[in-house]
Amino acid sequence: MKKQHFFLILALFCGLIALYAAAAGGGAHAQEQPGREKGEVHSLFAVSPDSSLLAYMAALGDEKQIRICSWDGIRERSLVYLKSGSVTELQWTPDGEAILYLYDPLGKDNYHLFRTDLNKGITENLTPCEAPVMSVLPYSQADPAELLVLVKNKGRDDVYRISLKKKTFLCDTANPGDVAAWLADNRLQVRCAEKRDAGGNVELMVRDDVSRPWRSLMKWQSRYPFEGAKAFSSDNSKIFIVQEKGIGASAVFLADVRTGKKVEIFESRSAPINGMTVDPKDLFIEAASTLDRAHTVWHPLNVEAATHYRIITKITAADSFFITSRSADNLRWVVKFLQEEGAFRYYLYDCASRKSRFLSEGS
Protein backbone atom coordinates (compact mmCIF):
# COMPACT_ATOMS: atom_id res chain seq x y z
CA MET A 1 0.00 0.00 0.00
CA LYS A 2 2.85 2.43 0.87
CA LYS A 3 4.52 1.60 -2.47
CA GLN A 4 1.28 2.40 -4.34
CA HIS A 5 1.02 5.73 -2.54
CA PHE A 6 4.61 6.51 -3.46
CA PHE A 7 4.02 5.93 -7.20
CA LEU A 8 0.76 7.92 -7.08
CA ILE A 9 2.52 10.90 -5.50
CA LEU A 10 5.37 10.58 -8.03
CA ALA A 11 2.92 10.62 -10.96
CA LEU A 12 1.16 13.71 -9.60
CA PHE A 13 4.50 15.45 -9.11
CA CYS A 14 5.57 14.74 -12.71
CA GLY A 15 2.21 15.99 -13.96
CA LEU A 16 2.63 19.27 -12.09
CA ILE A 17 6.09 19.72 -13.59
CA ALA A 18 4.69 19.20 -17.11
CA LEU A 19 1.90 21.71 -16.52
CA TYR A 20 4.37 24.26 -15.21
CA ALA A 21 6.63 23.83 -18.26
CA ALA A 22 3.70 24.34 -20.62
CA ALA A 23 2.62 27.50 -18.79
CA ALA A 24 6.19 28.83 -18.93
CA GLY A 25 6.30 28.70 -22.74
CA GLY A 26 6.99 25.06 -23.55
CA GLY A 27 3.43 24.39 -24.73
CA ALA A 28 1.98 23.66 -28.15
CA HIS A 29 2.51 27.18 -29.52
CA ALA A 30 6.26 27.06 -28.88
CA GLN A 31 6.61 23.56 -30.32
CA GLU A 32 4.98 24.60 -33.58
CA GLN A 33 7.67 27.17 -34.39
CA PRO A 34 10.69 26.13 -36.47
CA GLY A 35 13.79 25.40 -34.35
CA ARG A 36 15.66 28.50 -33.23
CA GLU A 37 18.96 29.13 -31.52
CA LYS A 38 19.20 32.03 -29.11
CA GLY A 39 19.58 35.29 -31.02
CA GLU A 40 18.54 33.84 -34.39
CA VAL A 41 16.30 35.87 -36.69
CA HIS A 42 14.01 33.94 -39.05
CA SER A 43 12.66 35.60 -42.19
CA LEU A 44 11.84 35.20 -45.91
CA PHE A 45 9.41 32.32 -45.29
CA ALA A 46 8.12 30.64 -48.45
CA VAL A 47 5.55 27.85 -48.75
CA SER A 48 6.19 25.04 -51.23
CA PRO A 49 3.89 24.65 -54.26
CA ASP A 50 2.19 21.60 -52.70
CA SER A 51 2.01 23.42 -49.30
CA SER A 52 3.71 20.56 -47.43
CA LEU A 53 6.98 22.39 -46.69
CA LEU A 54 8.32 25.78 -45.67
CA ALA A 55 11.64 27.34 -46.59
CA TYR A 56 13.09 30.22 -44.60
CA MET A 57 16.33 32.01 -43.77
CA ALA A 58 17.85 31.81 -40.30
CA ALA A 59 20.41 34.50 -39.48
CA LEU A 60 22.75 34.58 -36.49
CA GLY A 61 25.23 37.43 -36.81
CA ASP A 62 26.86 37.25 -40.25
CA GLU A 63 26.12 33.54 -40.67
CA LYS A 64 22.95 32.48 -42.43
CA GLN A 65 21.21 29.23 -43.23
CA ILE A 66 18.38 28.39 -45.57
CA ARG A 67 16.29 25.75 -43.86
CA ILE A 68 13.44 23.49 -44.85
CA CYS A 69 10.75 22.38 -42.42
CA SER A 70 7.42 20.60 -42.59
CA TRP A 71 4.23 22.65 -42.66
CA ASP A 72 3.62 21.89 -38.98
CA GLY A 73 7.19 22.97 -38.13
CA ILE A 74 8.16 19.69 -36.49
CA ARG A 75 10.61 18.16 -39.00
CA GLU A 76 13.44 20.45 -40.09
CA ARG A 77 16.83 20.41 -41.78
CA SER A 78 19.41 22.93 -43.01
CA LEU A 79 19.82 23.13 -46.78
CA VAL A 80 22.35 25.93 -47.37
CA TYR A 81 25.05 27.44 -45.13
CA LEU A 82 26.15 31.02 -45.92
CA LYS A 83 29.04 32.46 -43.90
CA SER A 84 28.63 36.04 -45.12
CA GLY A 85 26.64 38.31 -47.42
CA SER A 86 22.89 38.84 -47.66
CA VAL A 87 19.80 37.22 -49.16
CA THR A 88 16.88 39.35 -50.37
CA GLU A 89 14.49 36.95 -52.12
CA LEU A 90 13.69 33.30 -51.46
CA GLN A 91 11.19 31.18 -53.38
CA TRP A 92 10.51 27.65 -54.55
CA THR A 93 10.83 26.41 -58.10
CA PRO A 94 7.37 25.61 -59.51
CA ASP A 95 8.07 21.85 -59.33
CA GLY A 96 8.95 22.11 -55.63
CA GLU A 97 12.31 20.38 -56.15
CA ALA A 98 14.62 23.31 -55.42
CA ILE A 99 14.97 26.69 -53.71
CA LEU A 100 15.80 29.91 -55.58
CA TYR A 101 17.37 32.86 -53.79
CA LEU A 102 19.04 36.17 -54.60
CA TYR A 103 22.39 36.13 -52.78
CA ASP A 104 25.14 38.74 -52.50
CA PRO A 105 28.20 36.91 -51.10
CA LEU A 106 30.33 40.00 -50.41
CA GLY A 107 27.64 42.42 -49.26
CA LYS A 108 28.32 44.87 -52.11
CA ASP A 109 24.82 44.92 -53.67
CA ASN A 110 25.96 42.47 -56.36
CA TYR A 111 23.19 39.89 -56.14
CA HIS A 112 22.92 36.74 -58.24
CA LEU A 113 20.25 34.08 -58.49
CA PHE A 114 21.20 30.73 -56.97
CA ARG A 115 19.40 27.40 -57.07
CA THR A 116 19.84 24.62 -54.49
CA ASP A 117 18.37 21.17 -55.12
CA LEU A 118 16.45 19.74 -52.15
CA ASN A 119 17.41 16.11 -52.71
CA LYS A 120 21.00 16.39 -53.94
CA GLY A 121 21.93 19.57 -52.09
CA ILE A 122 23.74 20.88 -55.19
CA THR A 123 23.94 24.68 -55.49
CA GLU A 124 24.44 26.49 -58.79
CA ASN A 125 24.65 30.14 -59.84
CA LEU A 126 21.98 30.61 -62.50
CA THR A 127 23.20 34.10 -63.44
CA PRO A 128 26.95 33.84 -64.23
CA CYS A 129 27.58 37.48 -65.08
CA GLU A 130 29.35 40.45 -63.51
CA ALA A 131 26.28 42.70 -63.51
CA PRO A 132 23.95 42.45 -60.50
CA VAL A 133 20.55 40.78 -60.68
CA MET A 134 17.85 43.14 -59.44
CA SER A 135 14.78 40.90 -59.20
CA VAL A 136 13.06 37.74 -60.42
CA LEU A 137 9.91 38.21 -62.49
CA PRO A 138 6.87 36.03 -61.68
CA TYR A 139 7.17 32.58 -63.26
CA SER A 140 4.70 31.12 -65.71
CA GLN A 141 2.61 28.01 -65.13
CA ALA A 142 2.74 27.48 -68.91
CA ASP A 143 6.50 26.86 -68.78
CA PRO A 144 7.74 26.47 -65.19
CA ALA A 145 11.22 25.44 -66.39
CA GLU A 146 11.97 29.01 -67.48
CA LEU A 147 12.58 32.19 -65.48
CA LEU A 148 13.04 35.86 -66.27
CA VAL A 149 15.32 38.13 -64.23
CA LEU A 150 16.19 41.81 -64.38
CA VAL A 151 19.94 42.48 -64.75
CA LYS A 152 21.40 45.94 -64.19
CA ASN A 153 23.71 46.63 -67.17
CA LYS A 154 25.33 50.07 -67.20
CA GLY A 155 22.45 51.59 -65.26
CA ARG A 156 19.74 49.96 -67.39
CA ASP A 157 17.52 46.99 -66.53
CA ASP A 158 17.76 44.29 -69.20
CA VAL A 159 15.62 41.14 -69.13
CA TYR A 160 17.47 37.81 -69.15
CA ARG A 161 15.93 34.38 -69.63
CA ILE A 162 17.03 31.34 -67.64
CA SER A 163 16.26 27.82 -68.84
CA LEU A 164 16.44 25.34 -65.98
CA LYS A 165 16.37 22.44 -68.44
CA LYS A 166 18.94 23.71 -70.92
CA LYS A 167 21.07 25.40 -68.23
CA THR A 168 21.22 28.62 -70.27
CA PHE A 169 21.31 32.29 -69.28
CA LEU A 170 20.68 34.61 -72.23
CA CYS A 171 19.58 38.19 -72.83
CA ASP A 172 15.90 38.13 -73.73
CA THR A 173 15.03 41.83 -74.07
CA ALA A 174 17.62 44.62 -74.06
CA ASN A 175 16.77 48.01 -72.65
CA PRO A 176 17.15 50.78 -75.26
CA GLY A 177 17.86 53.16 -72.40
CA ASP A 178 14.52 54.77 -71.61
CA VAL A 179 12.51 51.83 -70.18
CA ALA A 180 11.84 52.04 -66.42
CA ALA A 181 9.89 48.77 -66.06
CA TRP A 182 9.13 45.61 -68.03
CA LEU A 183 6.08 43.34 -67.89
CA ALA A 184 5.86 39.77 -69.20
CA ASP A 185 2.61 38.01 -70.07
CA ASN A 186 1.48 34.68 -68.63
CA ARG A 187 3.53 32.79 -71.23
CA LEU A 188 6.64 34.61 -69.97
CA GLN A 189 6.88 36.75 -73.11
CA VAL A 190 8.01 40.35 -72.51
CA ARG A 191 5.25 42.37 -74.16
CA CYS A 192 4.94 45.60 -72.17
CA ALA A 193 7.51 48.32 -71.51
CA GLU A 194 6.98 51.38 -69.32
CA LYS A 195 8.81 54.58 -70.17
CA ARG A 196 9.08 57.41 -67.64
CA ASP A 197 10.82 60.77 -67.69
CA ALA A 198 11.83 63.13 -64.90
CA GLY A 199 8.64 65.15 -65.35
CA GLY A 200 6.37 62.20 -64.53
CA ASN A 201 5.31 61.49 -68.11
CA VAL A 202 4.50 57.80 -68.66
CA GLU A 203 4.21 55.95 -71.95
CA LEU A 204 3.21 52.30 -72.19
CA MET A 205 4.73 50.41 -75.11
CA VAL A 206 3.31 47.01 -76.11
CA ARG A 207 3.79 44.35 -78.77
CA ASP A 208 1.44 41.61 -79.92
CA ASP A 209 4.16 38.97 -79.56
CA VAL A 210 7.95 38.96 -79.29
CA SER A 211 8.37 38.83 -83.08
CA ARG A 212 6.33 42.01 -83.63
CA PRO A 213 7.53 45.61 -83.28
CA TRP A 214 6.84 47.78 -80.24
CA ARG A 215 4.06 50.37 -80.44
CA SER A 216 2.68 53.04 -78.11
CA LEU A 217 -0.51 52.03 -76.28
CA MET A 218 -1.16 55.09 -74.10
CA LYS A 219 0.42 58.11 -72.42
CA TRP A 220 -0.43 60.04 -69.25
CA GLN A 221 0.97 62.35 -66.60
CA SER A 222 1.77 60.38 -63.45
CA ARG A 223 1.25 61.80 -59.96
CA TYR A 224 2.04 58.74 -57.80
CA PRO A 225 4.88 56.18 -57.77
CA PHE A 226 2.75 53.01 -58.01
CA GLU A 227 1.13 53.97 -61.30
CA GLY A 228 1.81 51.82 -64.37
CA ALA A 229 1.22 48.37 -65.86
CA LYS A 230 0.95 45.63 -63.22
CA ALA A 231 -0.18 42.32 -64.77
CA PHE A 232 -1.65 40.70 -67.87
CA SER A 233 -5.13 39.19 -67.85
CA SER A 234 -5.47 35.39 -67.96
CA ASP A 235 -5.82 35.34 -71.78
CA ASN A 236 -2.97 37.88 -72.25
CA SER A 237 -5.24 40.22 -74.23
CA LYS A 238 -5.52 42.92 -71.55
CA ILE A 239 -3.33 44.63 -68.95
CA PHE A 240 -4.18 45.76 -65.42
CA ILE A 241 -3.02 49.37 -65.11
CA VAL A 242 -3.00 51.79 -62.16
CA GLN A 243 -3.50 55.46 -63.03
CA GLU A 244 -4.19 58.66 -61.13
CA LYS A 245 -7.69 60.17 -61.11
CA GLY A 246 -6.97 63.59 -59.70
CA ILE A 247 -5.33 64.75 -56.51
CA GLY A 248 -5.39 62.02 -53.84
CA ALA A 249 -7.19 59.48 -56.04
CA SER A 250 -6.32 56.67 -58.43
CA ALA A 251 -7.89 53.58 -59.99
CA VAL A 252 -7.19 50.14 -61.43
CA PHE A 253 -8.15 49.75 -65.09
CA LEU A 254 -8.22 46.77 -67.44
CA ALA A 255 -6.87 47.98 -70.79
CA ASP A 256 -7.15 46.17 -74.13
CA VAL A 257 -3.67 45.55 -75.57
CA ARG A 258 -4.87 46.10 -79.16
CA THR A 259 -7.00 49.21 -78.76
CA GLY A 260 -6.04 50.74 -75.41
CA LYS A 261 -9.70 50.89 -74.40
CA LYS A 262 -9.99 50.86 -70.60
CA VAL A 263 -12.56 49.50 -68.14
CA GLU A 264 -12.38 50.66 -64.53
CA ILE A 265 -12.07 47.80 -62.01
CA PHE A 266 -11.55 49.67 -58.74
CA GLU A 267 -11.34 53.33 -57.70
CA SER A 268 -9.91 54.89 -54.56
CA ARG A 269 -11.02 58.48 -53.95
CA SER A 270 -9.55 58.86 -50.46
CA ALA A 271 -5.92 57.90 -51.19
CA PRO A 272 -3.78 56.79 -54.14
CA ILE A 273 -3.35 53.04 -54.69
CA ASN A 274 0.03 51.82 -53.46
CA GLY A 275 -0.23 48.03 -53.84
CA MET A 276 -2.07 45.20 -55.52
CA THR A 277 -2.41 41.42 -55.33
CA VAL A 278 -3.42 39.01 -58.08
CA ASP A 279 -5.22 35.71 -57.52
CA PRO A 280 -2.78 33.12 -58.93
CA LYS A 281 -5.62 30.80 -59.98
CA ASP A 282 -7.75 33.09 -62.16
CA LEU A 283 -5.08 35.82 -62.61
CA PHE A 284 -7.60 38.56 -61.77
CA ILE A 285 -7.10 41.37 -59.28
CA GLU A 286 -7.67 40.08 -55.76
CA ALA A 287 -7.19 43.30 -53.79
CA ALA A 288 -5.76 46.81 -54.00
CA SER A 289 -4.19 48.73 -51.13
CA THR A 290 -4.06 52.37 -50.07
CA LEU A 291 -2.18 54.16 -47.32
CA ASP A 292 -4.09 55.69 -44.41
CA ARG A 293 -1.42 57.63 -42.51
CA ALA A 294 1.02 54.89 -41.52
CA HIS A 295 -1.45 52.03 -42.07
CA THR A 296 -1.88 49.99 -45.25
CA VAL A 297 -5.58 49.39 -45.96
CA TRP A 298 -6.55 46.52 -48.28
CA HIS A 299 -9.64 46.67 -50.49
CA PRO A 300 -10.57 43.12 -51.61
CA LEU A 301 -12.44 42.84 -54.90
CA ASN A 302 -14.34 39.61 -54.21
CA VAL A 303 -16.25 38.08 -51.30
CA GLU A 304 -13.81 35.23 -50.64
CA ALA A 305 -10.79 37.52 -50.50
CA ALA A 306 -12.71 39.95 -48.29
CA THR A 307 -13.34 37.16 -45.76
CA HIS A 308 -9.68 36.13 -45.59
CA TYR A 309 -8.32 39.67 -45.44
CA ARG A 310 -10.75 40.56 -42.64
CA ILE A 311 -9.57 37.57 -40.59
CA ILE A 312 -5.91 38.37 -41.25
CA THR A 313 -6.28 41.97 -40.00
CA LYS A 314 -7.33 40.55 -36.62
CA ILE A 315 -4.38 38.16 -36.20
CA THR A 316 -2.01 40.70 -34.65
CA ALA A 317 -1.62 44.46 -34.21
CA ALA A 318 0.37 45.91 -37.12
CA ASP A 319 0.56 48.89 -39.45
CA SER A 320 0.63 46.76 -42.58
CA PHE A 321 0.48 43.17 -43.78
CA PHE A 322 1.50 41.53 -47.04
CA ILE A 323 0.96 38.06 -48.44
CA THR A 324 4.54 37.13 -49.34
CA SER A 325 4.11 33.50 -50.45
CA ARG A 326 1.29 31.18 -51.54
CA SER A 327 0.90 27.51 -52.33
CA ALA A 328 0.05 26.57 -55.92
CA ASP A 329 -3.61 25.95 -55.03
CA ASN A 330 -3.75 29.33 -53.21
CA LEU A 331 -5.00 27.71 -50.01
CA ARG A 332 -1.99 28.33 -47.77
CA TRP A 333 -0.32 31.72 -47.37
CA VAL A 334 2.66 33.25 -45.63
CA VAL A 335 1.69 36.65 -44.22
CA LYS A 336 4.21 39.27 -43.10
CA PHE A 337 3.09 41.96 -40.65
CA LEU A 338 5.05 45.21 -40.38
CA GLN A 339 5.23 47.95 -37.77
CA GLU A 340 6.21 51.52 -38.58
CA GLU A 341 9.45 51.24 -36.60
CA GLY A 342 10.59 48.23 -38.66
CA ALA A 343 9.51 45.31 -36.48
CA PHE A 344 8.00 42.35 -38.33
CA ARG A 345 6.08 39.15 -37.66
CA TYR A 346 5.46 36.15 -39.90
CA TYR A 347 2.34 33.98 -39.71
CA LEU A 348 1.00 31.04 -41.67
CA TYR A 349 -2.60 31.29 -42.79
CA ASP A 350 -4.74 28.35 -43.92
CA CYS A 351 -7.64 29.45 -46.14
CA ALA A 352 -9.64 26.25 -45.65
CA SER A 353 -9.65 26.30 -41.85
CA ARG A 354 -9.26 30.11 -41.64
CA LYS A 355 -6.71 29.61 -38.89
CA SER A 356 -3.25 31.13 -38.50
CA ARG A 357 -0.03 30.09 -36.80
CA PHE A 358 2.79 32.27 -35.56
CA LEU A 359 6.19 31.69 -37.16
CA SER A 360 8.70 34.36 -36.20
CA GLU A 361 9.30 37.97 -35.30
CA GLY A 362 12.19 40.41 -35.42
CA SER A 363 13.23 43.95 -36.24
Side-chain angles (χ1 to χ4, degrees), residues 41-213:
V41 176
H42 294 179
S43 62
L44 301 179
F45 287 86
V47 60
S48 64
D50 67 357
S51 76
S52 65
L53 299 172
L54 285 171
Y56 69 95
M57 186 180 72
L60 182 60
D62 292 334
E63 294 188 359
K64 299 173 179 65
Q65 295 181 30
I66 295 176
R67 295 176 183 165
I68 308 297
C69 69
S70 56
W71 171 260
D72 57 17
I74 296 176
R75 297 174 302 279
E76 179 184 73
R77 65 185 175 96
S78 294
L79 182 68
V80 180
Y81 293 87
L82 305 170
K83 293 185 177 181
S84 61
S86 60
V87 176
T88 57
E89 291 187 29
L90 191 155
Q91 59 181 279
W92 292 79
T93 53
D95 58 12
E97 295 180 358
I99 298 296
L100 301 173
Y101 50 100
L102 281 179
Y103 175 48
D104 173 22
L106 301 178
K108 296 183 178 181
D109 291 329
N110 190 7
Y111 289 89
H112 290 275
L113 183 64
F114 288 80
R115 176 187 184 275
T116 299
D117 185 274
L118 259 68
N119 296 320
K120 299 178 182 179
I122 298 174
T123 297
E124 54 185 331
N125 182 359
L126 300 178
T127 54
C129 61
E130 294 184 3
V133 177
M134 306 308 294
S135 63
V136 183
L137 276 65
Y139 63 80
S140 169
Q141 293 287 0
D143 192 355
E146 300 217 340
L147 300 166
L148 294 179
V149 296
L150 293 181
V151 177
K152 182 73 74 176
N153 282 324
K154 299 179 181 179
R156 303 178 301 187
D157 288 344
D158 296 333
V159 182
Y160 276 70
R161 184 176 295 271
I162 299 170
S163 173
L164 299 177
K165 287 184 178 179
K166 300 177 182 178
K167 306 293 183 181
T168 56
F169 172 63
L170 302 171
C171 183
D172 180 272
T173 309
N175 194 329
D178 56 353
V179 175
W182 299 101
L183 184 65
D185 66 15
N186 300 304
R187 299 170 299 175
L188 224 57
Q189 304 297 307
V190 180
R191 293 180 50 217
C192 182
E194 183 179 309
K195 295 182 178 182
R196 284 178 178 263
D197 63 21
N201 296 299
V202 179
E203 181 178 14
L204 286 189
M205 306 291 294
V206 296
R207 54 184 176 179
D208 297 324
D209 59 60
V210 293
S211 65
R212 303 294 294 276

Side-chain angles (χ1 to χ4, degrees), residues 7 15 18 34 58 65 75 79 124 178 184 198 223 260 289 298 315 354:
F7 285 114
Q65 295 181 30
R75 297 174 302 279
L79 182 68
E124 54 185 331
D178 56 353
R223 290 177 184 267
S289 67
W298 285 100
I315 291 176
R354 300 180 181 179

